[in-house]
């Protein structure tokens, strides 16, 4: 599978495109406020996006959804869009679109007809498209948040969405082929809301048996580079082949 970064910024950042990525042009993960900018900048064909995954309802992960659906509506798309998200996803999609453009907007009917929402449940594997199996994993965050394991063709991508470090995350990492991970934490943080490079160095790297595995950092405050060979901070447009 090919993963392409559309943005790497966390909720508070220095002007980075907000965190989002797409798998094989069909599975879009997160729809941050600037998702349209990122999709166009990276040359993504919207018609190919059949599934959207939303990890949680914080604005930097989902407030761009009404703009994407509005554009698809105005372009006359009739393809079904499947949206996977936490408990209440169906009402949330309707509500945010109504809030964004008014409950009487013609787009609301289009959303009801063309968007199919499915609630994700911790540990419950779901099929995504023809080739993927996605298993939601509960993160450690202020709001109900789910990362995932994504399996396809014998390979596995682990996505650690917004989370602070917890030792129970380690069990997902060992035989993953790639880990895309919230590395928004900094050494200087007084309250640990997000995982930091230091957390990985201390709690994860010594225990990973797969020596080839790289941790790809996203959800950043600013663009950065790691001196650790096992940690690579992503930039918009970067691709990972798994
Ligand atoms: Zn976030
Ligand atoms: Zn969050």
């Amino acid at each position: 599978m090919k993963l392409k970064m559309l943005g790497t910024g966390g909720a508070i950042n220095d002007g980075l495109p907000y965190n989002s990525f797409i798998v094989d042009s069909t599975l879009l993960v997160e729809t941050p406020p600037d998702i349209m900018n990122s999709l166009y900048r990276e040359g993504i064909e919207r018609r190919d996006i059949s599934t959207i995954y939303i990890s949680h309802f914080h604005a930097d992960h989902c407030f761009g959804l009404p703009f994407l659906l509005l554009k698809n509506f105005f372009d006359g798309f009739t393809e079904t869009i499947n949206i996977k998200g936490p408990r209440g996803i169906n009402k949330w999609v309707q509500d945010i679109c109504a809030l964004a453009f008014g409950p009487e907007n013609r787009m609301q009917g289009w959303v009801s007809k063309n968007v199919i929402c499915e609630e994700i449940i911790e540990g419950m594997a779901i099929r995504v498209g023809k080739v993927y199996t996605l298993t939601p994993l509960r993160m450690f965050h202020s709001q109900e948040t789910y990362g995932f394991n994504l399996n396809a063709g014998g390979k596995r991508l682990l996505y650690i969405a917004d989370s602070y470090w917890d030792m129970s995350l380690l069990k997902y990492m060992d035989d993953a082929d790639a880990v895309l991970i919230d590395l928004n934490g900094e050494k200087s943080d007084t309250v640990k809301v997000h995982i930091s490079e230091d957390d990985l160095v201390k709690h994860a790297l010594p225990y990973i048996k797969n020596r080839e595995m790289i941790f790809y950092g996203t959800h950043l405050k600013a663009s950065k580079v790691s001196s650790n060979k096992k940690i690579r901070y992503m930039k918009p447009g970067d691709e990972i082949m798994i």
Side-chain angles (χ1 to χ4, degrees):
M1 65 183 112
K2 185 175 86 175
L3 187 159
K4 188 179 181 75
M5 300 305 296
L6 303 179
T8 56
I12 302 163
N13 77 66
D14 291 355
L16 297 173
Y18 288 102
N19 71 118
S20 176
F21 62 97
I22 190 162
V23 180
D24 296 332
S25 310
T26 61
L27 167 58
L28 174 65
V29 182
E30 319 287 17
T31 54
D34 60 349
I35 188 61
M36 294 306 288
N37 309 50
S38 290
L39 289 172
Y40 273 83
R41 190 188 58 249
E42 302 303 333
I44 305 298
E45 176 53 65
R46 274 178 296 113
R47 207 181 276 275
D48 293 340
I49 299 171
S50 53
T51 304
I52 296 172
Y53 182 93
I54 293 174
S55 65
H56 64 301
F57 297 136
H58 278 164
D60 54 316
H61 296 256
C62 54
F63 271 26
L65 183 69
F67 298 98
L68 175 54
L69 296 181
L70 183 74
K71 182 79 166 93
N72 286 3
F73 162 59
F74 269 95
D75 286 349
F77 286 12
T78 53
E79 294 85 352
T80 297
I81 293 191
N82 298 283
I83 302 183
K84 318 287 185 190
R87 202 154 26 103
I89 182 71
N90 192 42
K91 182 174 185 311
W92 184 89
V93 169
Q94 292 288 337
D95 287 352
I96 191 134
C97 290
L99 192 64
F101 299 110
E104 306 301 326
N105 195 293
R106 285 181 296 140
M107 161 198 191
Q108 290 297 119
W110 183 90
V111 169
S112 299
K113 188 163 166 241
N114 293 284
V115 174
I116 298 174
C117 294
E118 183 184 6
E119 294 186 352
I120 50 179
I121 299 165
E122 155 88 49
M124 190 85 84
I126 51 173
R127 293 289 289 177
V128 172
K130 289 196 176 76
V131 295
Y132 310 102
T133 303
L134 185 154
T135 310
L137 307 171
R138 183 71 189 258
M139 301 286 107
F140 300 88
H141 196 39
S142 57
Q143 194 168 37
E144 187 178 349
T145 300
Y146 297 91
F148 57 65
N149 270 319
L150 186 70
N151 293 72
K155 300 286 185 183
R156 178 162 72 90
L157 165 70
L158 171 62
Y159 173 44
I160 303 286
D162 291 21
S163 188
Y164 61 78
W165 177 260
D166 185 273
M167 285 310 286
S168 65
L169 295 172
L170 193 57
K171 65 178 178 291
Y172 304 124
M173 295 176 175
D174 205 26
D175 56 351
D177 291 290
V179 180
L180 183 69
I181 183 166
D182 162 23
L183 280 184
N184 203 170
E186 298 287 346
K187 224 183 219 150
S188 54
D189 293 346
T190 46
V191 183
K192 306 281 184 200
V193 177
H194 296 277
I195 298 167
S196 69
E197 185 170 335
D198 274 11
D199 288 326
L200 286 187
V201 169
K202 191 171 164 197
H203 301 299
L205 293 184
Y207 307 104
I208 301 294
K209 293 188 199 85
N210 178 2
R211 293 280 144 209
E212 308 291 306
M213 204 183 71
I214 303 286
F215 287 90
Y216 297 96
T218 186
H219 202 276
L220 310 173
K221 291 187 176 77
S223 194
K224 59 201 270 196
V225 175
S226 175
S227 56
N228 191 311
K229 287 195 180 69
K230 298 283 173 202
I231 299 171
R232 204 170 295 162
Y233 290 106
M234 301 305 281
K235 291 186 171 53
D238 280 354
E239 292 181 353
I240 307 169
M241 288 300 298
I242 304 166

